[in-house]
Amino acid sequence: MGSQQGQQQFGLTPPISLAAATEPEVQLNRELIEELKRQGSFESQEETNLRAKVLQELQKMASEFVYRVGIAKNMPEQVAREAGGKIFTYGSFRLGVYGPGSDIDSLVVAPRHVQREDFFAVFEPMLRERPEVKELAAVPDAFVPIIKMEFSGISIDLIFARLAIPQVPLNLDLSDNNLLRNISETDVRSLNGTRVTDEILKVVPNANVFKHALRTIKLWAQRRAIYSNVMGFPGGVAWAMLVARICQLYPNAVSAVIVSKFFRVLQQWAWPQPVLLKPIEDGPLQVRVWNPKLYHGDRAHRMPIITPAYPSMCATHNISASTQTVILKEFARAIEIMDRITLSRAPWSALFDKHDFFHRYKNYLVVVAASRDADTQLKWSGLVESKIRQLVMRLEVLDTIAVAHPYVKSFDSIHDCADEEEAAKVAAGEASGKKVAQVADLKEIVKEGVESVAEGLASTVPAPPGEATNAPATDSVLTPAIRVYTTSFYIGIEVDRSDNTKRLDITWAAQEFTDKCNEWPSYDASKMSVRIKHTRNTDLSDECFDVGEARPVKHSSGDKKSKKRKQHDTQESSDSLKRQQTGTVAA
């Protein structure tokens, strides 16, 4: 490794290279930034100015909120006014990698006389009084209690933390670990987002290089469908820490070089060796800090990426054997593309080509969560989604499955059914019922109302052959006998062909998953169901493909080898799924 006197070392190890950028690399970097602009990664200056204005208004409101609570608790007016209160940001906005339509993750920090109950009892009504605020929803019972809203058209996620100090001045720095003393675990969790993102920005050599590189990696990961913590892939903070580590190893490189090195270094990384941006710190709390020498669970992490702020945690504990395999394959693919880009044999846009998930495998499992009303479906599908990773891990145990690859997005639909038999078929994932709308977001249905969403989106659903596509919605369609909501999750299955005498039997894994979902305290068998069905790539639903996108093609009927393989792959799984599917969707 290279060394150079006078240059600060970033990270735990010396840099791999201190080389400055060459002119070809600088030109390559210009081309990268131009491509990011073409891809819509940057927002306009007008939008950025609006964000700044919104945050200024929120800061004024936070100070007023702390003051009102103080007066209500009989504090002297001057003391209440000097108690302060401050808005912090975290996530993509704080890291400087937000784009058009991105939300702002924000945090209200208040002094000790302000309680979490005050946040919802006082600050929430203050927000509701503002004409700029729309679609406000408070979730006080969440793991991290939150208020979601739109302020002047900007989406805001607002959380709260109370510190055990009498004043919160505008110059307060949250990096002091002693601020975590004498506060609740919920407050520690609320502070963690800002503390982590602030620390990331402190340990990178060049913030602008880091930001452009991170924009690139985020866009690449999203396009390749490997950006989802809940599904077992790295989330936004984890990708940011990986980019930061490569910046530390190449402190004088431009963003284009960081991107190229990113794939090569991490594809060759000695996993499960952890990615650390700084030494793990001790602190003043009796809380668990990531330590594989002490904790068996930490030793099981396959690709540990450790947060740099105390208390350090693994941001990628959800990664499984299958998702690790997928990530490493994507790194290898990106290396080949970057080699061509560097040699001017491919444009930067090639790096951002859409994923091939629905073409990659011959066999898929479809998990269908169903219920009878939108609000129930929003909660039920969220519960099922949170359990998909456990299903993947159970599938990985089977020696007949090489890879169980979960897709990072779900598909929501509304179906109008003539009778209970048809409703049961829809809930089982069978093609039945009239699909009123392909819904982009169940939250929109809950917020706007079922009928308005159905009317607005019905025209986007291709009409069956022989039906007019521009026919107006009728009362019978908008007020069906039975309306069923479904959310579908897909898992690509790569069969292990090392032993062709074994048949694929997922009965145990599927039943365990179903039982886990049904253990939810709010589960109601009369209103909710979850089913798993097997499908071939040639039989995937239209929802899996863009308009005009080529679909997998069936093998010719004369291909005996293909037919034999199909029978081997699907016979036992299909039979076993029929045996284990239980539960109905009833009114």
Side-chain angles (χ1 to χ4, degrees):
M1 295 186 182
S3 179
Q4 179 176 313
Q5 291 184 346
Q7 176 148 357
Q8 177 185 353
Q9 176 178 311
F10 293 86
L12 297 178
T13 62
I16 293 175
S17 172
L18 289 168
T22 64
E23 183 53 40
E25 290 171 346
V26 171
Q27 178 58 32
L28 195 66
N29 196 62
R30 294 193 194 102
E31 294 169 1
L32 169 60
I33 294 173
E34 287 303 313
E35 182 59 35
L36 290 174
K37 292 177 180 177
R38 284 191 291 271
Q39 296 283 348
S41 181
F42 300 95
E43 69 177 10
S44 68
Q45 187 60 49
E46 182 180 358
E47 290 173 300
T48 300
N49 292 341
L50 178 58
R51 289 179 188 273
K53 182 179 179 181
V54 167
L55 287 172
Q56 288 173 2
E57 290 301 315
L58 283 176
Q59 178 56 57
K60 292 177 184 177
M61 294 186 70
S63 298
E64 179 65 17
F65 158 58
V66 171
Y67 169 75
R68 289 189 187 183
V69 173
I71 293 298
K73 296 183 179 182
N74 299 316
M75 293 178 67
E77 183 172 349
Q78 184 68 20
V79 175
R81 185 65 70 187
E82 293 176 352
K86 183 177 178 181
I87 292 286
F88 292 85
T89 60
Y90 59 101
S92 62
F93 180 82
R94 178 70 184 97
L95 290 172
V97 293
Y98 54 92
S102 296
D103 59 7
I104 300 179
D105 296 314
S106 50
L107 163 71
V108 180
V109 175
R112 63 191 178 196
H113 73 271
V114 182
Q115 304 296 321
R116 185 169 304 278
E117 293 76 13
D118 298 321
F119 178 59
F120 294 100
V122 179
F123 199 34
E124 180 186 342
M126 289 175 60
L127 290 166
R128 290 188 184 278
E129 291 173 1
R130 295 290 295 247
E132 308 99 318
V133 173
K134 308 291 183 185
E135 302 175 1
L136 187 148
V139 191
D141 298 325
F143 186 63
V144 177
I146 190 170
I147 293 176
K148 293 175 173 284
M149 62 181 167
E150 283 194 5
F151 196 116
S152 297
I154 302 294
S155 294
I156 304 288
D157 286 354
L158 188 63
I159 60 177
F160 171 86
R162 168 190 172 274
L163 298 179
I165 55 178
Q167 295 180 333
V168 174
L170 292 179
N171 63 354
L172 179 70
D173 184 351
L174 292 179
S175 63
D176 183 356
N177 291 342
N178 289 314
L179 291 174
L180 303 180
R181 293 181 182 274
N182 303 315
I183 64 175
S184 70
E185 290 185 12
T186 301
D187 289 320
V188 173
R189 287 196 297 269
S190 296
L191 292 166
N192 188 59
T194 297
R195 284 167 52 83
V196 168
T197 47
D198 284 357
E199 203 63 40
I200 290 172
L201 291 173
K202 289 178 182 177
V203 298
V204 295
N206 185 310
N208 285 332
V209 168
F210 164 74
K211 291 174 184 179
H212 285 138
L214 180 55
R215 282 184 185 273
T216 305
I217 296 303
K218 283 187 63 173
L219 180 59
W220 165 80
Q222 289 164 348
R223 294 284 173 83
R224 300 306 298 172
I226 54 172
Y227 189 108
S228 173
N229 182 60
V230 70
M231 287 299 180
F233 294 99
V237 172
W239 287 118
M241 290 188 287
L242 288 177
V243 173
R245 184 65 183 121
I246 304 306
C247 289
Q248 291 179 338
L249 294 174
Y250 297 89
N252 299 323
V254 291
S255 303
V257 173
I258 295 297
V259 171
S260 179
K261 300 297 185 183
F262 177 91
F263 300 116
R264 199 170 296 276
V265 170
L266 295 175
Q267 205 273 338
Q268 298 173 355
W269 194 269
W271 306 107
Q273 177 181 320
V275 173
L276 295 164
L277 297 180
K278 56 182 288 191
I280 294 177
E281 299 179 35
D282 290 326
L285 306 181
Q286 295 297 314
V287 296
R288 175 170 167 169
V289 175
W290 188 82
N291 189 335
K293 294 180 179 179
L294 288 179
Y295 305 114
H296 175 75
D298 292 350
R299 290 197 294 275
H301 296 158
R302 307 186 69 90
M303 300 180 76
I305 303 168
I306 310 305
T307 57
Y310 173 83
S312 292
M313 296 174 283
C314 178
T316 46
H317 62 276
N318 279 355
I319 290 179
S320 69
S322 291
T323 54
Q324 180 181 13
T325 297
V326 172
I327 293 166
L328 294 178
K329 285 183 178 179
E330 288 294 341
F331 286 165
R333 172 188 173 275
I335 288 171
E336 296 179 1
I337 294 173
M338 283 305 308
D339 286 345
R340 298 203 305 272
I341 292 173
T342 303
L343 295 173
S344 299
R345 294 177 182 174
W348 275 105
S349 60
L351 186 65
F352 308 123
D353 283 347
K354 181 188 172 184
H355 64 84
D356 61 350
F357 176 83
F358 294 109
H359 299 263
R360 189 178 303 185
Y361 305 101
K362 292 184 178 180
N363 297 284
Y364 292 83
L365 296 181
V366 189
V367 179
V368 182
S371 70
R372 291 297 177 84
D373 69 81
D375 188 52
T376 297
Q377 183 64 11
L378 182 62
K379 298 171 184 175
W380 175 234
S381 63
L383 182 279
V384 172
E385 180 183 42
S386 71
K387 305 297 182 185
I388 293 291
R389 188 178 67 91
Q390 296 182 28
L391 173 58
V392 167
M393 296 177 71
R394 285 173 171 80
L395 293 171
E396 290 173 343
V397 174
L398 304 177
D399 55 10
T400 49
I401 292 181
V403 171
H405 177 182
Y407 186 54
V408 296
K409 295 181 180 179
S410 59
F411 298 91
D412 301 315
S413 300
I414 308 173
H415 306 257
D416 291 337
C417 304
D419 51 37
E420 289 294 343
E421 181 180 359
E422 190 172 40
K425 289 182 179 179
V426 166
E430 299 178 19
S432 184
K434 181 178 179 63
K435 186 180 292 186
V436 174
Q438 186 68 40
V439 183
D441 190 345
L442 272 170
K443 296 176 184 177
E444 292 297 319
I445 295 184
V446 175
K447 187 167 56 182
E448 301 292 340
V450 178
E451 306 304 337
S452 61
V453 173
E455 287 185 82
L457 295 181
S459 61
T460 68
V461 180
E467 293 188 16
T469 59
N470 59 352
T474 64
D475 290 341
S476 62
V477 172
L478 293 178
T479 311
I482 302 173
R483 174 160 280 167
V484 178
Y485 297 82
T486 62
T487 303
S488 300
F489 306 89
Y490 289 83
I491 302 174
I493 299 296
E494 181 179 317
V495 177
D496 186 344
R497 303 191 184 283
S498 60
D499 187 349
N500 287 329
T501 64
K502 294 182 179 180
R503 288 183 174 179
L504 180 60
D505 184 352
I506 68 167
T507 307
W508 168 80
Q511 189 62 56
E512 285 273 311
F513 169 74
T514 302
D515 291 344
K516 280 290 182 183
C517 292
N518 294 349
E519 289 173 1
W520 186 41
S522 299
Y523 173 71
D524 185 340
S526 68
K527 297 179 180 178
M528 313 166 195
S529 73
V530 59
R531 304 291 184 86
I532 305 175
K533 73 167 188 173
H534 168 269
T535 189
R536 299 284 287 183
N537 59 356
T538 53
D539 298 321
L540 286 167
S541 170
D542 291 339
E543 66 191 5
C544 302
F545 303 95
D546 294 336
V547 175
E549 181 180 353
R551 297 180 58 119
V553 179
K554 291 184 178 181
H555 292 285
S556 65
S557 58
D559 188 346
K560 295 182 179 179
K561 184 176 180 181
S562 175
K563 289 173 68 177
K564 182 178 180 181
R565 183 180 298 126
K566 176 179 179 180
Q567 182 181 20
H568 169 76
D569 290 347
T570 66
Q571 179 179 341
E572 187 63 25
S573 61
S574 298
D575 291 345
S576 64
L577 284 172
K578 289 178 182 178
R579 292 195 298 270
Q580 70 84 31
Q581 287 175 348
T582 58
T584 59
V585 177

